[in-house]
Amino acid sequence: MANFAKPSAPRFSVEVYQNEFLAEGARDVHAIVTVTSTGGATATRTSVAPGGAAVVIMVDCSGSMEYPPDKMRGAREATAAAVDTLRDGTAFAVIAGTHVAREVYPRQGRLAIADAATRAQAKEALRGLTSGGGTAIGTWLRLADGLLHGSTAAIRHGILLTDGRNEHEDPAVLRATLDACAGRFTCDARGVGTDWEVKEVTGIASALLGTADIVADPARLTEDFTHMMEKVMGKEVADVSLRLWTPVGAEVLYVKQVAPAVQDLTGRRTEASPRAGDYPTGSWGDESREYHVCVRVPGASVGQEMLAARAALLMPGAPGEDPAVLAQGLVRAVWTDDLAASTAINPQVAHYTGQAELAQAIQQGLEARKLGDVGGATAKLGRAVQLASSSGNADTAKLLAKVVDVVDAAAGTVRLKAKVADADEMTLETRSTQTVRVRKS
């Protein structure tokens, strides 16, 4: 393991957990790559350096936000709280989203710089937010992208709140917008109430490397927005990528973030050289994330060994300069005829393979339930209960218990509940990808 960092920046480290031993002729190498960033200075700062961070808050102001009225009121109060959480020097703007996007503050196609005066002006502008019109989320994102693209900030972030489905825009337009915005800014997405589409909100967050969640009770919006903005203010390094180099004859089968949530990065690879590809990880503060890497190597005989992959964290360099290597780790392959060695499963790999299966089982189970497939839903959600129990994922286990009656958690024996609140089902689906860390001995 090696560390490379500027003194003023957070320090990154990479640890690789794997069973490097393969049976003769075996080809697939699995490893968990743990990336940790520590020592950042933002936790103690009350302001950010010029060009440090830019944030755009997108607030749903469609007609449905007035039913019930506490949704619109909660959105105004939550956005005001988020503005109060901005550190001095942060560039920011607020957008009202309906079937069109409208600048609420500061207007004129620009960002304001946070200080006592601009925060007060923004909160005054928020008092005028009213609901009316439809929902076309792509227009909100395009306006946010335009505002953020004009900023020199290293950290570019969006916060998006909606209460309904993207009914006034072709789905292909939203997909094209997400493709265009990917890599330009990150975005956290929230659904308030229970009339929005889980796959839309989670899809936005996934495409833009942010988080997604439900806020079923509008009274909880202020708490959620404040927490989100605090996390944004803790970011210090932007556009970090995970570069995987593999030798001739080897190929990367997949790369998945598996903690703190499951997110498949395989399709987001950009080629860096004939033997290396980069996978985006977004912006970082003081935090730790884990990635499941699977590499297929050429088969070999007992006694041979090879470097299967080199995993490196990269930060973009100045124009004309190569990216800076923040940290790196190695994935190895060793062929053996020791059956015990080659069949052992590394605990980290086993744990996160189970967490990925847990997320998939929940999503498939809920889909089967919606389609009226009682047998399929019972089997999948029963398997999810079993996996949540065995891995110690207590939060997911509690959410599952609101959708099924658990007869035997260890065996995965459950019965579907006859009636399930919309909020409970949507919460389970939205948070299905959230994982727990492997239990350290």
Side-chain angles (χ1 to χ4, degrees), residues 58-60 65 78 137 140 157-164 187-193 196-198 200-202 204-205 210-216 220-221 223-229 231-232 430-431 434:
M58 294 159 272
V59 184
D60 190 338
M65 284 291 287
I137 296 175
W140 316 354
H157 197 87
I159 290 176
L160 184 149
L161 173 72
T162 185
D163 84 319
C187 184
D188 294 323
R190 295 294 185 268
V192 60
W196 48 280
E197 179 62 48
V198 172
E200 279 183 354
V201 171
T202 56
I204 291 167
T211 64
D213 206 354
I214 179 174
V215 186
R220 300 295 300 273
L221 277 172
E223 176 187 354
D224 186 77
F225 266 46
T226 301
H227 179 65
M228 269 196 295
M229 191 61 81
K231 293 195 71 172
V232 176
T430 305
R431 297 179 184 172
Q434 295 181 8

mmCIF file of all heavy atoms in Angstrom, residues 58-60 65 78 137 140 157-164 187-193 196-198 200-202 204-205 210-216 220-221 223-229 231-232 430-431 434:
data_model
loop_
_atom_site.group_PDB
_atom_site.id
_atom_site.type_symbol
_atom_site.label_atom_id
_atom_site.label_comp_id
_atom_site.label_asym_id
_atom_site.label_seq_id
_atom_site.Cartn_x
_atom_site.Cartn_y
_atom_site.Cartn_z
ATOM 1 N N MET A 58 -32.240 22.569 -6.356
ATOM 2 C CA MET A 58 -33.394 22.520 -7.265
ATOM 3 C C MET A 58 -34.622 22.090 -6.482
ATOM 4 O O MET A 58 -34.670 20.966 -5.975
ATOM 5 C CB MET A 58 -33.113 21.540 -8.406
ATOM 6 C CG MET A 58 -31.994 21.970 -9.340
ATOM 7 S SD MET A 58 -31.276 20.570 -10.273
ATOM 8 C CE MET A 58 -30.001 20.031 -9.113
ATOM 9 N N VAL A 59 -35.619 22.979 -6.375
ATOM 10 C CA VAL A 59 -36.807 22.727 -5.559
ATOM 11 C C VAL A 59 -38.025 22.514 -6.455
ATOM 12 O O VAL A 59 -38.339 23.370 -7.286
ATOM 13 C CB VAL A 59 -37.075 23.908 -4.606
ATOM 14 C CG1 VAL A 59 -38.261 23.595 -3.695
ATOM 15 C CG2 VAL A 59 -35.843 24.232 -3.782
ATOM 16 N N ASP A 60 -38.685 21.405 -6.303
ATOM 17 C CA ASP A 60 -39.915 21.122 -7.037
ATOM 18 C C ASP A 60 -40.984 22.122 -6.601
ATOM 19 O O ASP A 60 -41.313 22.229 -5.414
ATOM 20 C CB ASP A 60 -40.372 19.695 -6.729
ATOM 21 C CG ASP A 60 -41.506 19.225 -7.643
ATOM 22 O OD1 ASP A 60 -42.209 20.072 -8.212
ATOM 23 O OD2 ASP A 60 -41.675 17.999 -7.767
ATOM 24 N N MET A 65 -47.095 20.025 -5.224
ATOM 25 C CA MET A 65 -46.408 20.366 -3.977
ATOM 26 C C MET A 65 -47.333 21.055 -2.978
ATOM 27 O O MET A 65 -46.987 21.203 -1.806
ATOM 28 C CB MET A 65 -45.186 21.240 -4.257
ATOM 29 C CG MET A 65 -43.988 20.490 -4.810
ATOM 30 S SD MET A 65 -43.194 19.379 -3.618
ATOM 31 C CE MET A 65 -42.360 20.556 -2.540
ATOM 32 N N ALA A 78 -36.739 23.899 4.404
ATOM 33 C CA ALA A 78 -35.555 23.048 4.252
ATOM 34 C C ALA A 78 -34.502 23.742 3.402
ATOM 35 O O ALA A 78 -33.294 23.679 3.700
ATOM 36 C CB ALA A 78 -35.947 21.708 3.626
ATOM 37 N N ILE A 137 -37.969 17.345 -15.011
ATOM 38 C CA ILE A 137 -36.743 17.408 -14.211
ATOM 39 C C ILE A 137 -35.506 17.691 -15.063
ATOM 40 O O ILE A 137 -34.556 18.329 -14.610
ATOM 41 C CB ILE A 137 -36.586 16.107 -13.402
ATOM 42 C CG1 ILE A 137 -37.737 15.982 -12.399
ATOM 43 C CG2 ILE A 137 -35.243 16.048 -12.681
ATOM 44 C CD1 ILE A 137 -37.762 14.672 -11.629
ATOM 45 N N TRP A 140 -34.585 21.261 -15.096
ATOM 46 C CA TRP A 140 -33.957 21.729 -13.860
ATOM 47 C C TRP A 140 -32.457 21.424 -13.890
ATOM 48 O O TRP A 140 -31.631 22.270 -13.542
ATOM 49 C CB TRP A 140 -34.571 21.059 -12.638
ATOM 50 C CG TRP A 140 -36.060 20.942 -12.589
ATOM 51 C CD1 TRP A 140 -36.984 21.461 -13.471
ATOM 52 C CD2 TRP A 140 -36.821 20.239 -11.605
ATOM 53 N NE1 TRP A 140 -38.243 21.102 -13.105
ATOM 54 C CE2 TRP A 140 -38.191 20.367 -11.965
ATOM 55 C CE3 TRP A 140 -36.488 19.509 -10.473
ATOM 56 C CZ2 TRP A 140 -39.211 19.799 -11.212
ATOM 57 C CZ3 TRP A 140 -37.504 18.942 -9.723
ATOM 58 C CH2 TRP A 140 -38.857 19.082 -10.081
ATOM 59 N N HIS A 157 -21.861 20.706 -7.114
ATOM 60 C CA HIS A 157 -22.845 19.788 -6.536
ATOM 61 C C HIS A 157 -24.255 20.338 -6.692
ATOM 62 O O HIS A 157 -24.485 21.552 -6.619
ATOM 63 C CB HIS A 157 -22.545 19.588 -5.049
ATOM 64 C CG HIS A 157 -23.222 18.394 -4.462
ATOM 65 N ND1 HIS A 157 -22.681 17.127 -4.498
ATOM 66 C CD2 HIS A 157 -24.425 18.252 -3.849
ATOM 67 C CE1 HIS A 157 -23.505 16.271 -3.922
ATOM 68 N NE2 HIS A 157 -24.578 16.936 -3.518
ATOM 69 N N GLY A 158 -25.192 19.408 -6.875
ATOM 70 C CA GLY A 158 -26.596 19.762 -6.919
ATOM 71 C C GLY A 158 -27.378 19.015 -5.853
ATOM 72 O O GLY A 158 -27.014 17.907 -5.462
ATOM 73 N N ILE A 159 -28.449 19.635 -5.382
ATOM 74 C CA ILE A 159 -29.413 18.988 -4.489
ATOM 75 C C ILE A 159 -30.776 19.142 -5.150
ATOM 76 O O ILE A 159 -31.195 20.256 -5.474
ATOM 77 C CB ILE A 159 -29.410 19.623 -3.091
ATOM 78 C CG1 ILE A 159 -28.105 19.277 -2.353
ATOM 79 C CG2 ILE A 159 -30.616 19.165 -2.277
ATOM 80 C CD1 ILE A 159 -27.978 19.937 -0.990
ATOM 81 N N LEU A 160 -31.465 18.018 -5.365
ATOM 82 C CA LEU A 160 -32.727 18.041 -6.103
ATOM 83 C C LEU A 160 -33.828 17.435 -5.250
ATOM 84 O O LEU A 160 -33.681 16.341 -4.707
ATOM 85 C CB LEU A 160 -32.563 17.258 -7.411
ATOM 86 C CG LEU A 160 -33.743 17.239 -8.380
ATOM 87 C CD1 LEU A 160 -33.239 17.126 -9.822
ATOM 88 C CD2 LEU A 160 -34.720 16.087 -8.100
ATOM 89 N N LEU A 161 -34.941 18.146 -5.169
ATOM 90 C CA LEU A 161 -36.109 17.682 -4.419
ATOM 91 C C LEU A 161 -37.301 17.608 -5.350
ATOM 92 O O LEU A 161 -37.594 18.572 -6.069
ATOM 93 C CB LEU A 161 -36.429 18.640 -3.266
ATOM 94 C CG LEU A 161 -37.732 18.338 -2.504
ATOM 95 C CD1 LEU A 161 -37.567 17.082 -1.654
ATOM 96 C CD2 LEU A 161 -38.151 19.516 -1.640
ATOM 97 N N THR A 162 -37.999 16.469 -5.347
ATOM 98 C CA THR A 162 -39.221 16.349 -6.138
ATOM 99 C C THR A 162 -40.270 15.586 -5.344
ATOM 100 O O THR A 162 -39.938 14.805 -4.444
ATOM 101 C CB THR A 162 -38.951 15.638 -7.472
ATOM 102 O OG1 THR A 162 -40.146 15.643 -8.264
ATOM 103 C CG2 THR A 162 -38.506 14.193 -7.254
ATOM 104 N N ASP A 163 -41.532 15.817 -5.712
ATOM 105 C CA ASP A 163 -42.612 15.080 -5.048
ATOM 106 C C ASP A 163 -43.444 14.283 -6.041
ATOM 107 O O ASP A 163 -44.437 13.663 -5.663
ATOM 108 C CB ASP A 163 -43.528 16.041 -4.278
ATOM 109 C CG ASP A 163 -44.592 16.679 -5.172
ATOM 110 O OD1 ASP A 163 -44.252 17.048 -6.320
ATOM 111 O OD2 ASP A 163 -45.749 16.811 -4.739
ATOM 112 N N GLY A 164 -43.051 14.315 -7.317
ATOM 113 C CA GLY A 164 -43.889 13.652 -8.316
ATOM 114 C C GLY A 164 -43.082 13.025 -9.427
ATOM 115 O O GLY A 164 -41.852 13.045 -9.440
ATOM 116 N N CYS A 187 -24.875 15.007 -7.734
ATOM 117 C CA CYS A 187 -26.207 15.457 -7.321
ATOM 118 C C CYS A 187 -26.847 14.468 -6.369
ATOM 119 O O CYS A 187 -26.916 13.269 -6.651
ATOM 120 C CB CYS A 187 -27.103 15.636 -8.551
ATOM 121 S SG CYS A 187 -28.739 16.312 -8.177
ATOM 122 N N ASP A 188 -27.321 14.972 -5.230
ATOM 123 C CA ASP A 188 -28.146 14.202 -4.305
ATOM 124 C C ASP A 188 -29.606 14.453 -4.652
ATOM 125 O O ASP A 188 -30.003 15.600 -4.898
ATOM 126 C CB ASP A 188 -27.894 14.633 -2.858
ATOM 127 C CG ASP A 188 -26.494 14.304 -2.384
ATOM 128 O OD1 ASP A 188 -25.977 13.236 -2.768
ATOM 129 O OD2 ASP A 188 -25.905 15.112 -1.634
ATOM 130 N N ALA A 189 -30.428 13.390 -4.677
ATOM 131 C CA ALA A 189 -31.834 13.513 -5.041
ATOM 132 C C ALA A 189 -32.715 13.001 -3.908
ATOM 133 O O ALA A 189 -32.413 11.984 -3.295
ATOM 134 C CB ALA A 189 -32.120 12.737 -6.325
ATOM 135 N N ARG A 190 -33.792 13.713 -3.653
ATOM 136 C CA ARG A 190 -34.730 13.343 -2.602
ATOM 137 C C ARG A 190 -36.155 13.365 -3.135
ATOM 138 O O ARG A 190 -36.542 14.257 -3.884
ATOM 139 C CB ARG A 190 -34.636 14.318 -1.409
ATOM 140 C CG ARG A 190 -33.303 14.277 -0.671
ATOM 141 C CD ARG A 190 -33.084 12.949 0.016
ATOM 142 N NE ARG A 190 -31.885 12.911 0.820
ATOM 143 C CZ ARG A 190 -30.683 12.497 0.389
ATOM 144 N NH1 ARG A 190 -30.545 12.109 -0.876
ATOM 145 N NH2 ARG A 190 -29.654 12.475 1.188
ATOM 146 N N GLY A 191 -36.947 12.364 -2.709
ATOM 147 C CA GLY A 191 -38.362 12.338 -3.004
ATOM 148 C C GLY A 191 -39.131 12.621 -1.729
ATOM 149 O O GLY A 191 -38.895 11.979 -0.705
ATOM 150 N N VAL A 192 -40.055 13.575 -1.777
ATOM 151 C CA VAL A 192 -40.853 13.908 -0.602
ATOM 152 C C VAL A 192 -42.270 13.391 -0.803
ATOM 153 O O VAL A 192 -42.817 13.472 -1.907
ATOM 154 C CB VAL A 192 -40.846 15.433 -0.318
ATOM 155 C CG1 VAL A 192 -41.422 16.235 -1.479
ATOM 156 C CG2 VAL A 192 -41.603 15.748 0.977
ATOM 157 N N GLY A 193 -42.851 12.844 0.241
ATOM 158 C CA GLY A 193 -44.169 12.240 0.114
ATOM 159 C C GLY A 193 -44.055 10.851 -0.501
ATOM 160 O O GLY A 193 -43.017 10.199 -0.410
ATOM 161 N N TRP A 196 -43.947 10.043 -5.950
ATOM 162 C CA TRP A 196 -42.865 10.094 -6.928
ATOM 163 C C TRP A 196 -42.436 8.678 -7.310
ATOM 164 O O TRP A 196 -42.839 7.706 -6.681
ATOM 165 C CB TRP A 196 -41.688 10.896 -6.370
ATOM 166 C CG TRP A 196 -41.289 10.516 -4.977
ATOM 167 C CD1 TRP A 196 -41.889 10.910 -3.810
ATOM 168 C CD2 TRP A 196 -40.223 9.637 -4.594
ATOM 169 N NE1 TRP A 196 -41.263 10.324 -2.733
ATOM 170 C CE2 TRP A 196 -40.224 9.552 -3.183
ATOM 171 C CE3 TRP A 196 -39.251 8.930 -5.302
ATOM 172 C CZ2 TRP A 196 -39.309 8.777 -2.484
ATOM 173 C CZ3 TRP A 196 -38.333 8.158 -4.602
ATOM 174 C CH2 TRP A 196 -38.368 8.095 -3.207
ATOM 175 N N GLU A 197 -41.603 8.586 -8.328
ATOM 176 C CA GLU A 197 -41.160 7.298 -8.859
ATOM 177 C C GLU A 197 -39.762 6.973 -8.336
ATOM 178 O O GLU A 197 -38.806 7.703 -8.598
ATOM 179 C CB GLU A 197 -41.146 7.345 -10.389
ATOM 180 C CG GLU A 197 -40.683 6.068 -11.063
ATOM 181 C CD GLU A 197 -41.589 4.887 -10.754
ATOM 182 O OE1 GLU A 197 -42.822 5.029 -10.869
ATOM 183 O OE2 GLU A 197 -41.040 3.822 -10.379
ATOM 184 N N VAL A 198 -39.639 5.873 -7.607
ATOM 185 C CA VAL A 198 -38.359 5.514 -6.988
ATOM 186 C C VAL A 198 -37.258 5.367 -8.029
ATOM 187 O O VAL A 198 -36.151 5.889 -7.867
ATOM 188 C CB VAL A 198 -38.493 4.223 -6.159
ATOM 189 C CG1 VAL A 198 -37.118 3.750 -5.686
ATOM 190 C CG2 VAL A 198 -39.411 4.451 -4.956
ATOM 191 N N GLU A 200 -36.907 6.725 -10.901
ATOM 192 C CA GLU A 200 -36.478 8.015 -11.453
ATOM 193 C C GLU A 200 -35.509 8.716 -10.520
ATOM 194 O O GLU A 200 -34.431 9.181 -10.934
ATOM 195 C CB GLU A 200 -37.687 8.927 -11.698
ATOM 196 C CG GLU A 200 -38.411 8.634 -12.986
ATOM 197 C CD GLU A 200 -39.553 9.596 -13.240
ATOM 198 O OE1 GLU A 200 -39.856 10.432 -12.351
ATOM 199 O OE2 GLU A 200 -40.151 9.507 -14.322
ATOM 200 N N VAL A 201 -35.868 8.800 -9.251
ATOM 201 C CA VAL A 201 -35.038 9.525 -8.289
ATOM 202 C C VAL A 201 -33.709 8.819 -8.057
ATOM 203 O O VAL A 201 -32.643 9.449 -8.051
ATOM 204 C CB VAL A 201 -35.807 9.726 -6.965
ATOM 205 C CG1 VAL A 201 -34.888 10.271 -5.875
ATOM 206 C CG2 VAL A 201 -36.984 10.677 -7.183
ATOM 207 N N THR A 202 -33.756 7.501 -7.885
ATOM 208 C CA THR A 202 -32.504 6.768 -7.682
ATOM 209 C C THR A 202 -31.657 6.782 -8.953
ATOM 210 O O THR A 202 -30.427 6.784 -8.893
ATOM 211 C CB THR A 202 -32.764 5.320 -7.243
ATOM 212 O OG1 THR A 202 -33.607 4.665 -8.199
ATOM 213 C CG2 THR A 202 -33.442 5.281 -5.879
ATOM 214 N N ILE A 204 -31.429 9.263 -11.111
ATOM 215 C CA ILE A 204 -30.767 10.572 -11.168
ATOM 216 C C ILE A 204 -29.533 10.577 -10.273
ATOM 217 O O ILE A 204 -28.436 10.979 -10.677
ATOM 218 C CB ILE A 204 -31.749 11.681 -10.747
ATOM 219 C CG1 ILE A 204 -32.845 11.859 -11.807
ATOM 220 C CG2 ILE A 204 -31.015 13.006 -10.512
ATOM 221 C CD1 ILE A 204 -34.022 12.685 -11.348
ATOM 222 N N ALA A 205 -29.713 10.111 -9.043
ATOM 223 C CA ALA A 205 -28.597 10.092 -8.097
ATOM 224 C C ALA A 205 -27.481 9.183 -8.580
ATOM 225 O O ALA A 205 -26.294 9.522 -8.485
ATOM 226 C CB ALA A 205 -29.076 9.662 -6.716
ATOM 227 N N GLY A 210 -24.479 10.655 -6.794
ATOM 228 C CA GLY A 210 -24.942 11.210 -5.528
ATOM 229 C C GLY A 210 -25.732 10.185 -4.742
ATOM 230 O O GLY A 210 -25.725 8.991 -5.037
ATOM 231 N N THR A 211 -26.436 10.656 -3.724
ATOM 232 C CA THR A 211 -27.254 9.792 -2.890
ATOM 233 C C THR A 211 -28.729 10.022 -3.203
ATOM 234 O O THR A 211 -29.123 11.083 -3.689
ATOM 235 C CB THR A 211 -27.021 10.064 -1.392
ATOM 236 O OG1 THR A 211 -27.457 11.408 -1.085
ATOM 237 C CG2 THR A 211 -25.550 9.920 -1.043
ATOM 238 N N ALA A 212 -29.546 9.013 -2.920
ATOM 239 C CA ALA A 212 -30.997 9.130 -3.078
ATOM 240 C C ALA A 212 -31.666 8.671 -1.798
ATOM 241 O O ALA A 212 -31.195 7.756 -1.136
ATOM 242 C CB ALA A 212 -31.479 8.288 -4.253
ATOM 243 N N ASP A 213 -32.787 9.306 -1.451
ATOM 244 C CA ASP A 213 -33.524 8.874 -0.268
ATOM 245 C C ASP A 213 -34.937 9.402 -0.345
ATOM 246 O O ASP A 213 -35.265 10.278 -1.157
ATOM 247 C CB ASP A 213 -32.845 9.368 1.018
ATOM 248 C CG ASP A 213 -33.164 8.476 2.224
ATOM 249 O OD1 ASP A 213 -33.988 7.559 2.096
ATOM 250 O OD2 ASP A 213 -32.576 8.708 3.302
ATOM 251 N N ILE A 214 -35.783 8.843 0.511
ATOM 252 C CA ILE A 214 -37.162 9.281 0.658
ATOM 253 C C ILE A 214 -37.284 10.104 1.929
ATOM 254 O O ILE A 214 -36.655 9.800 2.948
ATOM 255 C CB ILE A 214 -38.116 8.069 0.707
ATOM 256 C CG1 ILE A 214 -39.575 8.523 0.878
ATOM 257 C CG2 ILE A 214 -37.723 7.085 1.803
ATOM 258 C CD1 ILE A 214 -40.589 7.376 0.789
ATOM 259 N N VAL A 215 -38.066 11.175 1.836
ATOM 260 C CA VAL A 215 -38.460 11.936 3.016
ATOM 261 C C VAL A 215 -39.991 11.909 3.015
ATOM 262 O O VAL A 215 -40.643 12.791 2.459
ATOM 263 C CB VAL A 215 -37.921 13.385 2.992
ATOM 264 C CG1 VAL A 215 -38.230 14.085 4.310
ATOM 265 C CG2 VAL A 215 -36.422 13.395 2.712
ATOM 266 N N ALA A 216 -40.540 10.855 3.595
ATOM 267 C CA ALA A 216 -41.992 10.649 3.529
ATOM 268 C C ALA A 216 -42.750 11.755 4.242
ATOM 269 O O ALA A 216 -43.816 12.176 3.800
ATOM 270 C CB ALA A 216 -42.348 9.287 4.119
ATOM 271 N N ARG A 220 -39.617 16.392 8.043
ATOM 272 C CA ARG A 220 -38.234 15.937 8.193
ATOM 273 C C ARG A 220 -37.301 16.524 7.137
ATOM 274 O O ARG A 220 -36.103 16.240 7.129
ATOM 275 C CB ARG A 220 -38.180 14.405 8.090
ATOM 276 C CG ARG A 220 -39.007 13.667 9.138
ATOM 277 C CD ARG A 220 -38.480 13.883 10.547
ATOM 278 N NE ARG A 220 -37.107 13.411 10.703
ATOM 279 C CZ ARG A 220 -36.779 12.168 11.011
ATOM 280 N NH1 ARG A 220 -37.737 11.266 11.197
ATOM 281 N NH2 ARG A 220 -35.520 11.822 11.147
ATOM 282 N N LEU A 221 -37.836 17.342 6.221
ATOM 283 C CA LEU A 221 -37.013 17.868 5.136
ATOM 284 C C LEU A 221 -35.874 18.748 5.639
ATOM 285 O O LEU A 221 -34.751 18.678 5.136
ATOM 286 C CB LEU A 221 -37.878 18.663 4.152
ATOM 287 C CG LEU A 221 -38.622 17.857 3.083
ATOM 288 C CD1 LEU A 221 -39.576 18.758 2.309
ATOM 289 C CD2 LEU A 221 -37.637 17.189 2.136
ATOM 290 N N GLU A 223 -34.191 18.720 8.445
ATOM 291 C CA GLU A 223 -33.122 17.888 8.994
ATOM 292 C C GLU A 223 -32.316 17.233 7.882
ATOM 293 O O GLU A 223 -31.078 17.222 7.906
ATOM 294 C CB GLU A 223 -33.739 16.822 9.904
ATOM 295 C CG GLU A 223 -32.733 15.832 10.473
ATOM 296 C CD GLU A 223 -33.413 14.692 11.232
ATOM 297 O OE1 GLU A 223 -34.646 14.747 11.403
ATOM 298 O OE2 GLU A 223 -32.704 13.748 11.637
ATOM 299 N N ASP A 224 -33.015 16.703 6.870
ATOM 300 C CA ASP A 224 -32.344 16.005 5.782
ATOM 301 C C ASP A 224 -31.510 16.966 4.935
ATOM 302 O O ASP A 224 -30.357 16.674 4.589
ATOM 303 C CB ASP A 224 -33.376 15.302 4.904
ATOM 304 C CG ASP A 224 -32.740 14.435 3.840
ATOM 305 O OD1 ASP A 224 -32.273 13.337 4.180
ATOM 306 O OD2 ASP A 224 -32.676 14.872 2.677
ATOM 307 N N PHE A 225 -32.066 18.116 4.591
ATOM 308 C CA PHE A 225 -31.339 19.089 3.768
ATOM 309 C C PHE A 225 -30.111 19.624 4.503
ATOM 310 O O PHE A 225 -29.049 19.825 3.899
ATOM 311 C CB PHE A 225 -32.272 20.247 3.379
ATOM 312 C CG PHE A 225 -32.944 20.054 2.044
ATOM 313 C CD1 PHE A 225 -33.517 18.834 1.719
ATOM 314 C CD2 PHE A 225 -33.016 21.084 1.128
ATOM 315 C CE1 PHE A 225 -34.140 18.650 0.489
ATOM 316 C CE2 PHE A 225 -33.623 20.914 -0.102
ATOM 317 C CZ PHE A 225 -34.194 19.691 -0.426
ATOM 318 N N THR A 226 -30.258 19.861 5.796
ATOM 319 C CA THR A 226 -29.105 20.350 6.572
ATOM 320 C C THR A 226 -27.986 19.321 6.578
ATOM 321 O O THR A 226 -26.812 19.660 6.370
ATOM 322 C CB THR A 226 -29.538 20.666 8.014
ATOM 323 O OG1 THR A 226 -30.584 21.660 7.994
ATOM 324 C CG2 THR A 226 -28.370 21.195 8.827
ATOM 325 N N HIS A 227 -28.355 18.064 6.780
ATOM 326 C CA HIS A 227 -27.357 16.996 6.789
ATOM 327 C C HIS A 227 -26.682 16.866 5.426
ATOM 328 O O HIS A 227 -25.452 16.715 5.342
ATOM 329 C CB HIS A 227 -28.023 15.682 7.185
ATOM 330 C CG HIS A 227 -27.098 14.505 7.197
ATOM 331 N ND1 HIS A 227 -26.041 14.392 8.081
ATOM 332 C CD2 HIS A 227 -27.051 13.390 6.414
ATOM 333 C CE1 HIS A 227 -25.390 13.275 7.845
ATOM 334 N NE2 HIS A 227 -25.973 12.646 6.844
ATOM 335 N N MET A 228 -27.477 16.923 4.353
ATOM 336 C CA MET A 228 -26.905 16.837 3.010
ATOM 337 C C MET A 228 -25.907 17.959 2.761
ATOM 338 O O MET A 228 -24.804 17.743 2.250
ATOM 339 C CB MET A 228 -28.010 16.910 1.947
ATOM 340 C CG MET A 228 -28.574 15.584 1.535
ATOM 341 S SD MET A 228 -29.517 15.709 -0.018
ATOM 342 C CE MET A 228 -30.875 16.756 0.462
ATOM 343 N N MET A 229 -26.288 19.190 3.129
ATOM 344 C CA MET A 229 -25.410 20.324 2.860
ATOM 345 C C MET A 229 -24.145 20.259 3.711
ATOM 346 O O MET A 229 -23.053 20.635 3.251
ATOM 347 C CB MET A 229 -26.151 21.641 3.119
ATOM 348 C CG MET A 229 -25.402 22.866 2.602
ATOM 349 S SD MET A 229 -25.135 22.828 0.805
ATOM 350 C CE MET A 229 -26.738 23.406 0.233
ATOM 351 N N LYS A 231 -22.593 17.579 4.484
ATOM 352 C CA LYS A 231 -21.722 16.624 3.799
ATOM 353 C C LYS A 231 -21.075 17.266 2.574
ATOM 354 O O LYS A 231 -19.895 17.034 2.283
ATOM 355 C CB LYS A 231 -22.502 15.377 3.392
ATOM 356 C CG LYS A 231 -22.976 14.531 4.563
ATOM 357 C CD LYS A 231 -23.414 13.148 4.140
ATOM 358 C CE LYS A 231 -22.222 12.307 3.730
ATOM 359 N NZ LYS A 231 -22.605 10.886 3.489
ATOM 360 N N VAL A 232 -21.844 18.063 1.840
ATOM 361 C CA VAL A 232 -21.270 18.758 0.681
ATOM 362 C C VAL A 232 -20.158 19.692 1.123
ATOM 363 O O VAL A 232 -19.094 19.767 0.494
ATOM 364 C CB VAL A 232 -22.357 19.544 -0.082
ATOM 365 C CG1 VAL A 232 -21.733 20.349 -1.224
ATOM 366 C CG2 VAL A 232 -23.420 18.601 -0.624
ATOM 367 N N THR A 430 -36.033 2.389 -2.006
ATOM 368 C CA THR A 430 -35.054 3.460 -2.158
ATOM 369 C C THR A 430 -33.751 3.139 -1.439
ATOM 370 O O THR A 430 -32.659 3.436 -1.943
ATOM 371 C CB THR A 430 -35.624 4.791 -1.618
ATOM 372 O OG1 THR A 430 -36.864 5.066 -2.263
ATOM 373 C CG2 THR A 430 -34.663 5.943 -1.876
ATOM 374 N N ARG A 431 -33.850 2.528 -0.260
ATOM 375 C CA ARG A 431 -32.661 2.265 0.545
ATOM 376 C C ARG A 431 -32.112 0.846 0.368
ATOM 377 O O ARG A 431 -31.227 0.436 1.118
ATOM 378 C CB ARG A 431 -32.987 2.519 2.021
ATOM 379 C CG ARG A 431 -33.366 3.966 2.297
ATOM 380 C CD ARG A 431 -33.710 4.215 3.745
ATOM 381 N NE ARG A 431 -34.159 5.588 3.948
ATOM 382 C CZ ARG A 431 -34.672 6.073 5.076
ATOM 383 N NH1 ARG A 431 -34.788 5.269 6.144
ATOM 384 N NH2 ARG A 431 -35.059 7.332 5.174
ATOM 385 N N GLN A 434 -28.286 0.413 0.203
ATOM 386 C CA GLN A 434 -27.426 0.806 1.317
ATOM 387 C C GLN A 434 -26.885 -0.440 2.010
ATOM 388 O O GLN A 434 -27.638 -1.374 2.301
ATOM 389 C CB GLN A 434 -28.187 1.694 2.303
ATOM 390 C CG GLN A 434 -28.593 3.039 1.697
ATOM 391 C CD GLN A 434 -29.322 3.929 2.678
ATOM 392 O OE1 GLN A 434 -29.407 3.630 3.868
ATOM 393 N NE2 GLN A 434 -29.850 5.040 2.195
#
